[in-house]
Amino acid sequence: MRERILEKAQELFFRFGVKSVTMDDIARELGISKKTIYQHFEDKNSMVCAGVKHHFECDHFIAEKIHNEAPNPIAEAVMGAEMMRQTMSGLNPSAIFDIKKYYPQAWDMFSQYKKEFVLDLIRRNIKKGIEMGLYRSNVNAEVIARLRLEQVEMGLDPYIFPVGQFNPLDTQLELLDHFLRGIVTPEGLELYEEYTKTQLSVSISLSALLNTKSTY
Amino acid sequence: MRERILEKAQELFFRFGVKSVTMDDIARELGISKKTIYQHFEDKNSMVCAGVKHHFECDHFIAEKIHNEAPNPIAEAVMGAEMMRQTMSGLNPSAIFDIKKYYPQAWDMFSQYKKEFVLDLIRRNIKKGIEMGLYRSNVNAEVIARLRLEQVEMGLDPYIFPVGQFNPLDTQLELLDHFLRGIVTPEGLELYEEYTKTQLSVSISLSALLNTKSTY
């Protein structure tokens, strides 16, 4: 039951933002009483924290799987973009900023996750790309990894990219495209442009990856 | 006298940060009494605001001059980098974050200046680069201009780039280098690499520009 509640809550938070979804909404959607929810979650804050934790566990698992199975760092980035495309297609941008504003404990978990796992993942991607001759050897991996890390959050910031004026997914894809073009060698650029033409096959192999998620 | 006080204050803020420089320090450095300072500035807050305003007026003037005199947008960016190199060589990074933290009125002026003048300057640079075939025609100028705008502040953020671990100027130059590489066409890249080899001549023409500052 705990898992069912959490999944429904995440689904609603994703679609409508965190602040506007109440415990009543979640209970109603599941056809259970609020009392049942409170048997599993002390309050909304602890539910949001559990949701964020669960989201990161899935994200971590898929990102590591892509990292290990992608033939090279550029493929990894393109597959990461496809993963982002799927995640963001149903995401209400308020969800992120509601958490930042109203759930500082969950936001701290987000920052911690970013600083520890995501930064390291990007750093490894950059170093491998340099080794393989796909990224320029004079890229300062520490600076550029932090730039990439901040870009994702920047792209979701409604103060920088007002929601009415920018589509959050398009913004993310534009930022990633620019990021990759800024670090590739001519050889890497050729490979990248090849991938962007054949997005479908990358997308299919990502679906295969995503299907393994349930075994986790 | 007002101008002399302001120039000295700016010099000290630049070197030591805003918070740690007192009105006493400024008076002592100028060999005048604090009373004289208070005849021109109500308090430290109004002095910081006047300093920020004066800094932006100079910055605006030089940036417009570079924009008008640079033969192309890549030259403009390289000359902008040289200007940044000169400005930042004596800058204590605390100065920026002291303002953000303790002088919200001055910080708002900073944000306003960024949003109005700097964003427009970058946007014009990108559009001209696309027109001249030096930047890719499929660059989304609105997204990429905002990326560049945020990069400058990001590079100065000690939470992202801890001062002991990163040199602020090197970080800024790495970010700008990556930014330009991410938008250029092959033709633009060739021109950019040409400029980075001949930095000296750009630097000299910048000095010529800077010397005209006093006529302003």
Side-chain angles (χ1 to χ4, degrees):
Chain A
M1 177 54 87
R2 189 178 187 278
E3 197 149 314
R4 251 186 79 210
I5 298 171
L6 203 56
E7 268 174 21
K8 179 56 75 184
Q10 276 190 289
E11 184 198 319
L12 296 173
F13 293 158
F14 246 67
R15 275 169 58 202
F16 305 107
V18 178
K19 191 69 182 166
S20 64
V21 173
T22 63
M23 294 300 239
D24 281 308
D25 295 328
I26 298 165
R28 196 181 321 109
E29 281 278 327
L30 285 165
I32 60 174
S33 71
K34 254 206 321 194
K35 205 182 139 197
T36 310
I37 294 185
Y38 284 114
Q39 280 165 1
H40 296 279
F41 298 98
E42 200 183 328
D43 52 21
K44 194 171 158 192
N45 182 53
S46 70
M47 183 187 266
V48 173
C49 286
V52 165
K53 187 164 174 278
H54 180 252
H55 177 77
F56 287 154
E57 282 165 357
C58 293
D59 191 77
H60 191 142
F61 174 77
I62 298 170
E64 279 291 355
K65 212 161 164 57
I66 291 178
H67 183 78
N68 293 328
E69 298 193 4
N72 61 66
I74 294 176
E76 182 186 356
V78 173
M79 289 162 90
E82 189 52 40
M83 182 176 146
M84 193 157 68
R85 197 192 292 272
Q86 294 183 17
T87 307
M88 286 188 63
S89 66
L91 175 70
N92 185 324
S94 310
I96 310 278
F97 275 79
D98 281 356
I99 294 177
K100 187 171 186 174
K101 209 165 169 182
Y102 302 108
Y103 300 93
Q105 198 185 339
W107 186 257
D108 284 349
M109 284 166 61
F110 181 70
S111 304
Q112 203 59 22
Y113 178 73
K114 245 180 56 179
K115 261 191 213 152
E116 284 170 11
F117 172 65
V118 190
L119 182 59
D120 187 56
L121 191 77
I122 300 170
R123 197 189 277 126
R124 281 186 282 155
N125 179 291
I126 294 174
K127 287 186 176 165
K128 198 168 157 194
I130 294 174
E131 271 168 33
M132 289 178 79
L134 298 171
Y135 297 159
R136 286 181 289 113
S137 60
N138 58 351
V139 163
N140 182 330
E142 288 302 323
V143 170
I144 295 303
R146 282 169 173 78
L147 165 68
R148 180 66 202 135
L149 190 68
E150 293 308 311
Q151 274 186 354
V152 177
E153 203 173 314
M154 181 196 299
L156 292 165
D157 188 332
Y159 295 103
I160 301 172
F161 296 102
V163 177
Q165 198 183 342
F166 295 92
N167 173 298
L169 177 59
D170 291 345
T171 300
Q172 287 294 345
L173 296 177
E174 180 82 21
L175 293 176
L176 177 63
D177 178 70
H178 174 271
F179 179 80
L180 285 172
R181 290 179 185 276
I183 55 173
V184 288
T185 57
E187 197 189 338
L189 181 63
E190 206 176 308
L191 190 64
Y192 173 58
E193 292 190 329
E194 200 57 46
Y195 283 129
T196 55
K197 278 185 218 141
T198 57
Q199 206 154 40
L200 195 65
S201 66
V202 176
S203 162
I204 288 168
S205 65
L206 181 70
S207 309
L209 277 179
L210 287 170
N211 285 338
T212 63
K213 189 179 142 184
S214 53
T215 64
Y216 160 66
Chain B
M1 175 55 88
R2 190 177 187 276
E3 197 149 314
R4 249 186 79 210
I5 297 171
L6 204 55
E7 268 173 24
K8 178 56 76 184
Q10 275 190 291
E11 184 199 319
L12 296 174
F13 294 158
F14 245 68
R15 274 169 59 203
F16 304 108
V18 179
K19 191 69 183 166
S20 63
V21 173
T22 63
M23 295 299 239
D24 281 309
D25 294 329
I26 299 164
R28 196 179 322 110
E29 282 278 326
L30 285 165
I32 60 175
S33 72
K34 252 201 328 190
K35 205 181 139 197
T36 310
I37 294 185
Y38 284 114
Q39 279 165 359
H40 297 277
F41 299 97
E42 198 183 330
D43 51 22
K44 193 168 159 192
N45 182 54
S46 70
M47 182 187 269
V48 173
C49 286
V52 165
K53 188 164 172 280
H54 180 252
H55 177 77
F56 288 154
E57 282 166 358
C58 293
D59 189 77
H60 191 142
F61 175 79
I62 298 172
E64 279 292 355
K65 209 159 166 60
I66 291 178
H67 183 78
N68 293 329
E69 298 194 3
N72 61 64
I74 295 177
E76 181 186 356
V78 173
M79 288 162 90
E82 189 51 39
M83 182 176 147
M84 192 157 68
R85 197 191 292 272
Q86 294 182 18
T87 306
M88 286 187 65
S89 67
L91 175 70
N92 185 326
S94 311
I96 309 279
F97 275 79
D98 280 356
I99 294 176
K100 185 171 186 173
K101 212 166 168 182
Y102 302 109
Y103 299 93
Q105 200 186 338
W107 186 255
D108 284 349
M109 284 166 61
F110 181 70
S111 303
Q112 205 59 24
Y113 178 74
K114 245 180 59 180
K115 262 190 210 150
E116 285 170 11
F117 171 67
V118 190
L119 183 60
D120 187 56
L121 190 77
I122 301 171
R123 197 189 277 124
R124 283 185 281 155
N125 179 289
I126 295 175
K127 287 184 176 165
K128 198 169 160 195
I130 293 173
E131 272 168 35
M132 290 179 79
L134 298 172
Y135 298 160
R136 287 180 289 112
S137 60
N138 59 350
V139 163
N140 182 329
E142 287 302 323
V143 170
I144 295 302
R146 281 169 173 78
L147 166 67
R148 179 66 200 133
L149 190 68
E150 292 307 312
Q151 275 186 355
V152 177
E153 201 173 317
M154 181 196 299
L156 292 166
D157 189 332
Y159 295 104
I160 301 172
F161 296 101
V163 178
Q165 198 182 343
F166 295 92
N167 173 298
L169 177 59
D170 291 346
T171 300
Q172 288 294 345
L173 296 176
E174 180 82 20
L175 293 175
L176 177 63
D177 179 70
H178 173 270
F179 179 80
L180 286 172
R181 290 177 185 276
I183 55 173
V184 288
T185 56
E187 197 190 338
L189 181 63
E190 205 177 309
L191 190 63
Y192 173 57
E193 292 189 330
E194 200 58 46
Y195 282 130
T196 54
K197 276 183 219 142
T198 56
Q199 207 154 39
L200 194 64
S201 66
V202 175
S203 161
I204 287 167
S205 65
L206 181 70
S207 308
L209 278 179
L210 288 170
N211 286 338
T212 64
K213 189 178 143 185
S214 52
T215 64
Y216 160 64

